[in-house]
Amino acid sequence: MNMNATTPKLSIRNLYKIFGTDPKAMLPHVQAGIGKPELLARHKHVLGLEDINVDMYAGKITVIMGLSGSGKSTLIRHLNRLIEPTAGEILLDGADVTRLSHDELRKLRQSRMSMVFQKFALLPHRTVLDNTALAPTIRGEPGAGTRESARRWLERVGLEGYEQHYPHQLSGGMQQRVGIARALCSEAEIMLMDEAFSALDPIIRTDMQALLLELQRELHKTIIFITHDLDEALRLADHLVVLKDGRIVQQGEPQEIILKPADEYIENFVRDINRARVLRVRSVMAATGGTDGHDRIDANATLEDALERAQGAADHVFDVTDGGCVVGTLAMTDLFKALVPRHARQEDAGGS
Amino acid sequence: MTTYSGLFEAFGLKGWCEAGSSGGPVSMAELLAKTTGKAAETNLWDTPFPSLDALHGACGAVPRTRELTAGIERLFLGIKDPLKTVLDPLTQPLSWAIDGALWAILVLPWWIVIPIFLAVVQFAARSGRITGFVASVLLMLAFVDHYDFAMQTLAIILVCTVICVLFGVPIGIAMARNDRLQRSVIPVLDMLQTLPTFVYLIPLIFLFSVTESKLYGIAIILYAIVPAIRLTDLGIRLVDRDVLEAAEAFGMSQRQKLFGVQIPLALPNIMAGVNQTIMMSLAMVVIASLVSAPGLGALVLRGINKLELGVGIVAGLAIVMLAIVLDRVTKAALAQVNLATKH
């Protein structure tokens, strides 16, 4: 586990993607700092991704968030090379995915990376069970064992009894459950999820997020999740990457991004969220150890919990505990400050 | 001298004209001019269009239009023999297939052929109503002594359709995968579809003897293969891109994608193409009676040639019945396929 914490499972290094007739020739221009609109106007090429560097750790959920057109779907498709990069490396356990031969790439897709799609993309002419067993079937492992594991995964996502149905007979949420079961059935260590829940109703979406988190607690997959929904990103992310116009604006722990937005764009993004419900005590506390018999509160409690516990008292101070030991103190005044969105520039001025 | 003589003189080409003058056959107009003794001098109103023939009148070196058609004919006769040595063995299996089918369908007694036919219909269409309809049509045709002719027509259509599918579906798949191939094949398909059906027969008559069944076999296949190719191409191209991407993301090979995803999902379109191919084979097999194709078409031709009105009309109606049968059966089979792939 310690190894995993220090070396990323999957890492993207200096990745560029330029769309057009001669992308390679445009690369020097882009590296020299020509902007997206200028590249389009002067050279008729579209800048898809620019100098992307992300580390994704084993057993963690990395969420890549951005509005439509920000290049997030393009980015996730580079990981299993559904789209070829113009330049850069994608290192999986240190080996460069971009250098794999055609056959090696197919092996990788069959057994090391699975994918869940926004529009489910189930095979309409195969049963739910056959759809779930897709990856082992492609690998050439048909038979009772495969069917049994497919049945088990279907049960795990709550679809027992639907094995012999066809996808069009299921609702959207159920189809995406099949999509997830299909990805899990490949037993791949990495799961790519491309706006997997965006096509679902809000309530179903919340259910599916809960399902994913529950599965993740058990399976510890390395998940790369694409979304345009900040609430979803904050709920799922261990590591959050915010993408705009093909560039990374900010990446880090979600709490960090909310408390210290890098620029105006992120500020606008995080302005409307319910900070009390998203922020955790550990992100706001002062890491001083002094204890004098105050109320105790868990480091992972939300600020909303703390407010409720303090019952409105503005001078309350909590001792923050993590796994039984006191790790810091939380003064209500700090809590109130954290609830007000701060501007990036003021933050800088105040910090210096 | 004619209207355009002055033109050639003005350009100083008189010498070239006289040197090139071959003194070919004299045209009727020249002959008339000679006999009446009048020069073919004309006023502005009667100025002829400067066509090859008119220019030839003024300058012997300009070829006449008849040279053009004669040239094409010479060209064709020139390549005919090498072409024939290549095409003859290649197409010989077609003759065997058609002759074999024609022989088999007539040598088997009607009480075996009709039940087999109905069993196939029932298997394909899964509808008692349609099987009953087909049975009544077949029995009716047999009752008015058109059984042999109808069966010959059916045998030819069957062989040609099988060959169309065998070649058309792979060509369509190749086209769907390769845009350049598609761009180059589509004009050929357009030409095959717009060329008047009689025109097909002209070069074939040169190449093959009229007694060979492959002559009309080729004509039917060229005409009827077009929808099979087009709709296969269309069907493969219409396969949901998201589903294909998923197939790719899970590491399917080209082959697995083709047989596991593209063809199954394109099947309704391919079957619609087969339906069209069958109907076009039927249309062509009637025309092909001009080059000795047996069957109901031959009866229609007899009706025209000998002014046997009744024979022609009865055979024509029989063709209509056959067309309805084939269309209903293939449409019902198509509906079955649709049902199976929608699932």
Side-chain angles (χ1 to χ4, degrees), chain B residues 69-81:
Chain B
T69 48
I72 289 175
E73 200 172 311
R74 271 198 303 278
L75 180 80
F76 206 84
L77 287 174
I79 60 168
K80 178 192 151 183
D81 285 329

Side-chain angles (χ1 to χ4, degrees), chain A residues 77 80 82 106 109-110 115 117 119 121-126 134-135 138 166 168 182, chain B residues 242-243 245-254 256 260-261 264-265 340-343:
Chain A
R77 278 167 177 69
N80 58 358
L82 286 176
R106 261 195 19 243
R109 290 172 178 173
Q110 284 169 4
M115 198 162 179
F117 296 87
K119 291 176 191 154
L122 303 172
L123 302 185
H125 61 296
R126 297 198 188 168
L134 183 67
I138 294 172
Y166 285 89
H168 75 105
R182 173 173 73 175
Chain B
D242 293 318
V243 174
E245 190 183 42
E248 192 129 324
F250 280 91
M252 275 199 189
S253 62
Q254 290 290 328
Q256 285 172 321
V261 183
L265 295 189
T341 46
K342 198 191 164 201
H343 268 238

Side-chain angles (χ1 to χ4, degrees), chain A residues 192-262:
Chain A
L192 309 177
M193 305 187 73
D194 178 28
E195 302 229 27
F197 306 147
S198 301
L200 304 175
D201 300 336
I203 295 177
I204 310 250
R205 195 186 304 175
T206 316
D207 286 349
M208 297 295 280
Q209 289 161 2
L211 173 74
L212 182 66
L213 286 172
E214 186 195 322
L215 287 167
Q216 175 64 356
R217 266 195 294 281
E218 213 176 285
L219 303 169
H220 303 293
K221 300 270 182 195
T222 306
I223 298 177
I224 291 90
F225 194 101
I226 297 283
T227 182
H228 61 255
D229 178 354
L230 182 64
D231 289 320
E232 185 168 74
L234 293 174
R235 184 157 182 214
L236 299 175
D238 293 311
H239 183 79
L240 179 61
V241 180
V242 184
L243 216 58
K244 184 200 173 197
D245 292 340
R247 304 168 69 163
I248 293 178
V249 192
Q250 191 176 8
Q251 62 175 316
E253 223 228 324
Q255 304 267 311
E256 197 71 8
I257 290 177
I258 297 168
L259 288 172
K260 293 177 185 140

